[in-house]
Amino acid sequence: MSSQTAEKAQASTAAPYKRVVRSLGTGAPVYALLVILLVALASTDPGFYEPDRFLAFVKRAAPLVILAAGQYLVIVCGEFDLSVGAIVTAGVVAAAEVYGSFPDAPWPLITAGLLLAGAATGLVSGLITTRLKVPSFITTLGMMLILEGAVFFWTGGSPHGQLAEGFRQMGRGTAMGWLPWAVLACLVAGLVAVLLMRSDFGRTLIATGDSERAAALAGVRVHRARVIAFVLSGAAAALAAVLVGGFSGVSAQAGRGYEFEAITAVVLGGVVLGGGRGSVVAAMAGAFSLQALFTLLNLQGVSGALESTVQGVIVIAAVGLGAADWSRLRRRRIHSSGGRPS
Amino acid sequence: MSGTTGTTGTTVAPPPAVKTRAPSRSRLTDPAVGVWLAAAGVTALGWIVVAARGGDFLTLSNVVGILQNCVALGLVAVGQTAVILTGSLDLSVAYLISLGTLVAATTMEDGSVVTAVLAVLALSAAVGLANGLIVTGLKVNAFIATLGTAFILRGWIEDNYTGPAGKVPASFQHLGYDRMGPIPVSLFLLAAVAAAMWLITRRTRFGHHLYATGGDEHAARLSGVRTRRTIIAAHVLCSLCVGAAALFLASRLGAGAPWAGTEARYDLESIAAVVLGGTVLAGGRGGVAGTLGGVLVLAVLDSVFNQLGVDPFFKNVVRGIVIIAAVAIYARRGSRRSA
């Protein structure tokens, strides 16, 4: 009786710590990395945490965070989406071309159209991947070639047209005078992603990535789950395109490289390529870490050239640390503490 | 059964029995055969279309041009095949090519050609070794590991070179421009590298280990294959092929160029060519013969579009569709066989 209560008491004191660790899960390294980077930013630039500057940082990170959330959905069910960068480029260019012909088009209409087009692209990728059984690496690589080719073909190499000011507000404007719309969009997208992953759909998605066969036997409509993931990733990429178009304007290079950055961010968040493991919050934290890293390197005056070298080293190191087998170390610690896991 | 025939028969009965089984399964349904048929089909189709426009597709100079265009992508894709067979992947090839051309050209400018070739191959081997060690030692997924290496190489290039650098002496440019009869010398380079890789993958123990590792790494390790070494060696082989491609491009360009590998997107194009050739991305199935067919299909398509004066950007659209469609056809065949 007394020993039981003692045990209970001990469990309750250990519980919060354990619960925190467990909820961090595979994402623990990325949260540590993010904290380190944010502290480093604060020490190199004391003004970094003034509200408007910090919000500007979040605003710049927003497209990547949204892309990472979309990419997470695809990766966690065991696929890839390499076409997101091309979707961003195509979205920006398409919006500019449409505004070129219809300068008075209302921005909500264009934004909705872009989101729909992004979702449709994802739908095509998803259907090709699931129905025609083409590996998603190839499907989305082909989609990337098609979209990039189409954009250049359409515009002859240099997009014309300008984005209307109303449309650009999403990327550069602020709500209530202080909160950038991009930050709001980022928060909403993140919230939607978290709620989605807590819903039944999220669980089926993870189950699909973990073991397609087991999920199918348990009654999951595996194909449908994957197609929906691709659709959401396409829509997320279109949303990112709206933000990118808003703050950096029209360019045929607008989304170049974003696909690899998004995948890097997701993997940095401890999400396993191949699916079935990792949390969406950690994936978004991965995106923030990447952006914090870029900002820090900028502040440190590291030349743009070396920036990518540092990025490469950190990504390999972080993923390597996350993948390392700590079990031996942990076992040793268990033995030293008298068989009780600490 | 085959064992008893082997002991009773005086001739070498069992090996042929084993050998005949593999080809009999791989007639038309084998992607490696299919992609060569597809290449022939695309050539025929291109010939008809170009002829209908009043052009002549199958001229000697055009055919030679197509083959010449195969060389760079072919070298990279042959290397990529080895890595993909083990179930790994190499996304660092594009930047390695760029760096290779720069190192080759700058070394040749004030040194000998031999040192330059050795330097490029040593650099390639080192990068391949690093890739392999990161993948196997740190257990980083190959996609991220080689992407990370690509970023590191990119930083190195952008930090040290602002534009084209170095100069390739005329003696080395023979590799890119000379011909033996009608056949470009560089084609022999591709043929030699591809033949070597074919021999390695199909006729050596290491080659069988490549397939075994890609097919099921766990099973391979349990049956005594040193899978880590195999993967590392595959990465080194791949990077050496990429080094050869860099040397070829340096001789072709006459200088080193930071955009030599990235402009043509050799990373993704080579993977596309490998998959087009019927090698499975997950590893364990496929081979060099199919890859060469895949490269040829892409080169013929390119040439047909050039002859027809199609917008170069539109080519990418068709290229994407062709890649997806080809892989979809393989996938359908594969599923039908298993069903």
Side-chain angles (χ1 to χ4, degrees), chain A:
Chain A
M1 190 62 181
S2 63
S3 71
Q4 254 180 7
T5 48
E7 241 169 56
K8 223 177 244 173
Q10 200 178 23
S12 65
T13 52
Y17 162 74
K18 267 190 185 169
R19 202 178 302 150
V20 167
V21 169
R22 195 173 303 149
S23 66
L24 287 178
T26 50
V30 78
Y31 297 123
L33 179 68
L34 185 55
V35 168
I36 292 170
L37 286 170
L38 289 177
V39 169
L41 273 172
S43 65
T44 38
D45 179 14
F48 182 73
Y49 289 101
E50 281 165 21
D52 51 334
R53 290 201 46 207
F54 188 70
L55 282 175
F57 163 74
V58 178
K59 186 176 98 176
R60 251 174 307 151
L64 189 56
V65 173
I66 292 170
L67 282 176
Q71 188 73 247
Y72 166 84
L73 297 177
V74 179
I75 287 183
V76 87
C77 71
E79 306 286 347
F80 277 109
D81 193 347
L82 292 177
S83 65
V84 292
I87 293 179
V88 170
T89 308
V92 171
V93 171
E97 290 283 330
V98 169
Y99 269 117
S101 331
F102 309 97
D104 299 324
W107 68 267
L109 194 67
I110 305 278
T111 306
L114 278 185
L115 290 181
L116 270 181
T121 314
L123 181 67
V124 173
S125 294
L127 288 177
I128 291 175
T129 303
T130 54
R131 305 291 160 180
L132 299 183
K133 297 198 172 72
V134 177
S136 55
F137 190 95
I138 298 298
T139 312
T140 54
L141 170 65
M143 190 57 87
M144 171 173 145
L145 288 176
I146 293 171
L147 285 175
E148 280 186 358
V151 161
F152 277 89
F153 180 55
W154 186 16
T155 61
S158 60
H160 339 266
Q162 265 197 328
L163 296 170
E165 213 37 53
F167 181 81
R168 298 194 68 172
Q169 279 305 308
M170 186 80 172
R172 50 163 53 168
T174 50
M176 298 173 283
W178 61 277
L179 183 65
W181 285 110
V183 175
L184 211 60
C186 176
L187 282 176
V188 170
L191 198 66
V192 168
V194 169
L195 289 178
L196 203 64
M197 289 316 291
R198 294 195 163 207
S199 70
D200 288 351
F201 171 72
R203 276 147 222 243
T204 50
L205 212 55
I206 291 183
T208 303
D210 194 29
S211 168
E212 178 174 350
R213 201 170 140 69
L217 289 176
V220 172
R221 298 186 186 193
V222 172
H223 285 191
R224 187 188 291 181
R226 285 202 165 126
V227 171
I228 293 175
F230 273 106
V231 168
L232 291 172
S233 165
L239 180 56
V242 173
L243 299 187
V244 169
F247 64 70
S248 53
V250 183
S251 136
Q253 307 276 330
R256 188 152 249 206
Y258 260 135
E259 61 278 353
F260 288 130
E261 268 176 26
I263 293 174
T264 307
V266 171
V267 174
L268 210 52
V271 181
V272 179
L273 290 181
R277 224 152 299 166
S279 83
V280 68
V281 181
M284 291 187 285
F288 273 116
S289 304
L290 270 187
Q291 192 63 44
L293 179 64
F294 298 149
T295 314
L296 183 65
L297 290 175
N298 258 335
L299 284 175
Q300 295 279 8
V302 175
S303 78
L306 273 181
E307 196 174 283
S308 55
T309 301
V310 176
Q311 188 192 346
V313 171
I314 290 205
V315 166
I316 291 177
V319 177
L321 274 178
D325 184 9
W326 301 107
S327 60
R328 197 179 295 168
L329 215 87
R330 202 170 295 150
R331 209 174 302 137
R332 199 171 299 149
R333 207 166 46 188
I334 290 169
H335 281 306
S336 64
S337 68
R340 183 168 296 157
S342 53

